[in-house]
């Protein structure tokens, strides 16, 4: 797939999270499209998530889901009035959304763009645990936008955050040089890529590194010149990094002397 590498390297990825009381969706985004991410346990809407016990909101009591076993407990609001009660409901709903997203984004560093009616987004930020939420926001009701329409609007908004993500990734590598979480060893990089250990890979798309990788033993052999049966190890590391959710960049701002360097997840 060597001709495709320029499209894969620097194909900066991001998330879009659309929020409303009626619909919550998580997307994985790139320069080309948005793809829906299936999130186990993600609440479909606030009414379902909070399991309202009736239509009488005057008492300001509802049943709420708590814990992994789904135990129910009554939540009593104070005398702040219905606006306060509604904000409390939104806060609890968004906590449930955040808890569902946490396993999916735990090892990610890509920026997340919030999209939704403007007054909802600050409430979500107060409970969100993901540390890479973009400063930019897509404000408005996104419930009826198609995936294509959403991508068109999100693509320009996310650009500053993507550039910041690239800069942060380069800085993270510089900080980790000399530790076990950074490597410029081609053998280690290929092995790590194939088991999903690479968080960020910086690779020169114009270089080739011939050799072979034995999946049974994880042994990597490098050759000066291409030999029968060889693969391009840089291509292999790039593809495996992307397949395991890692980011791949060209080393524009890094002064490296090898064809590839990597930041490892562990």
């Amino acid at each position: 797939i060597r001709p495709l590498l320029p499209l894969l390297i620097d194909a900066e990825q991001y998330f879009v999270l659309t929020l409303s009381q009626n619909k919550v969706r998580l997307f994985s985004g790139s320069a080309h499209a948005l793809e829906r991410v299936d999130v186990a346990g993600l609440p479909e809407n606030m009414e379902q998530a909070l399991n309202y016990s009736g239509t009488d909101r005057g008492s300001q009591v509802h049943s709420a889901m708590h814990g992994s076993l789904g135990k129910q407990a009554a939540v009593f609001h104070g005398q702040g009035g219905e606006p306060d009660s509604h904000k409390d409901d939104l806060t609890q709903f968004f906590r449930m959304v955040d808890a569902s997203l946490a396993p999916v984004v735990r090892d990610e560093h890509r920026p997340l763009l919030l999209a939704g009616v403007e007054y909802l987004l600050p409430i979500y930020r107060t409970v969100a645990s993901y540390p890479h939420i973009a400063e930019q926001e897509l404000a408005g009701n996104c419930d009826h936008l198609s995936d294509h329409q959403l991508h068109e609007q999100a693509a320009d908004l996310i650009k500053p955050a993507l550039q910041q993500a690239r800069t942060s990734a380069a800085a993270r590598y510089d900080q980790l040089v000399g530790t076990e979480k950074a490597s410029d060893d081609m053998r280690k990089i290929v092995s790590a890529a194939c088991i999903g250990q690479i968080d960020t890979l910086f690779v020169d798309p114009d270089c080739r590194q011939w050799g072979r990788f034995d999946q049974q033993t994880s042994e990597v052999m490098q050759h000066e010149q291409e030999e029968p049966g060889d693969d391009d190890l840089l291509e292999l590391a790039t593809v495996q990094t992307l397949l395991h959710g890692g980011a791949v960049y060209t080393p524009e701002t890094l002064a490296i002397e090898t064809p590839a360097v990597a930041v490892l997840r562990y």
Side-chain angles (χ1 to χ4, degrees):
I1 64 167
R2 166 61 65 168
L4 298 178
L5 284 189
L7 296 177
L8 299 176
I9 298 173
D10 291 335
E12 296 166 316
Q13 296 183 324
Y14 57 94
F15 290 115
V16 176
L17 178 63
T18 65
L19 295 166
S20 79
Q21 298 176 59
N22 301 312
K23 186 184 295 186
V24 178
R25 296 173 293 169
L26 179 69
F27 295 89
S28 176
S30 69
H32 309 292
L34 291 179
E35 293 185 4
R36 196 81 59 92
V37 179
D38 186 19
V39 180
L42 183 66
E44 292 184 12
N45 54 64
M46 190 166 79
E47 182 176 359
Q48 178 205 57
L50 300 186
N51 189 23
Y52 289 142
S53 59
T55 58
D56 180 13
R57 301 297 290 148
S59 62
Q60 299 189 32
V61 181
H62 66 257
S63 296
M65 302 296 289
H66 289 286
S68 59
L69 298 180
K71 295 180 180 179
Q72 293 185 344
V75 177
F76 294 83
H77 299 293
Q79 301 302 313
E82 190 167 340
D84 288 341
S85 172
H86 186 58
K87 184 175 179 180
D88 289 344
D89 286 350
L90 285 168
T91 299
Q92 185 173 354
F93 173 47
F94 287 157
R95 283 199 180 100
M96 298 171 71
V97 170
D98 181 70
S100 298
L101 294 179
V104 177
V105 301
R106 180 177 295 123
D107 296 324
E108 296 284 352
H109 293 282
R110 46 175 140 166
L112 183 152
L113 180 72
L114 296 181
V117 177
E118 194 169 2
Y119 80 91
L120 295 175
L121 306 185
I123 299 174
Y124 183 79
R125 286 182 183 272
T126 65
V127 301
S129 58
Y130 188 62
H132 307 294
I133 296 179
E135 179 181 347
Q136 298 77 16
E137 297 176 343
L138 176 53
N141 188 339
C142 300
D143 285 358
H144 303 296
L145 291 180
S146 68
D147 295 1
H148 177 70
Q149 291 170 325
L150 189 61
H151 178 256
E152 283 188 327
Q153 296 189 38
D156 285 335
L157 286 172
I158 200 64
K159 286 180 180 178
L162 288 172
Q163 183 56 48
Q164 180 58 44
R166 169 194 280 274
T167 302
S168 297
R172 193 161 64 251
Y173 175 77
D174 283 336
Q175 291 170 357
L176 293 172
V177 168
T179 73
E180 293 184 355
K181 294 192 72 174
S183 180
D184 61 359
D185 184 303
M186 197 66 222
R187 291 183 175 87
K188 184 173 183 178
I189 288 173
V190 171
S191 297
C194 291
I195 61 173
Q197 191 180 357
I198 292 185
D199 175 88
T200 309
L201 178 68
F202 294 90
V203 61
D204 185 343
D206 297 323
C207 288
R208 295 176 185 265
Q209 177 60 69
W210 299 110
R212 302 176 196 171
F213 174 67
D214 189 324
Q215 294 186 2
Q216 300 298 321
T217 64
S218 295
E219 181 182 3
V220 179
M221 294 170 286
Q222 293 178 262
H223 301 140
E224 291 291 334
Q225 302 293 329
E226 183 180 8
E227 298 184 7
D230 274 1
D231 292 314
D232 181 354
L233 297 178
L234 289 174
E235 178 182 303
L236 176 62
T238 297
V239 172
Q240 288 298 319
T241 297
L242 292 170
L243 287 175
H244 287 92
V248 183
Y249 299 113
T250 52
E252 292 178 356
T253 60
L254 290 175
I256 63 174
E257 298 179 358
T258 57
V261 298
V263 173
L264 307 181
R265 289 179 170 136
Y266 53 89

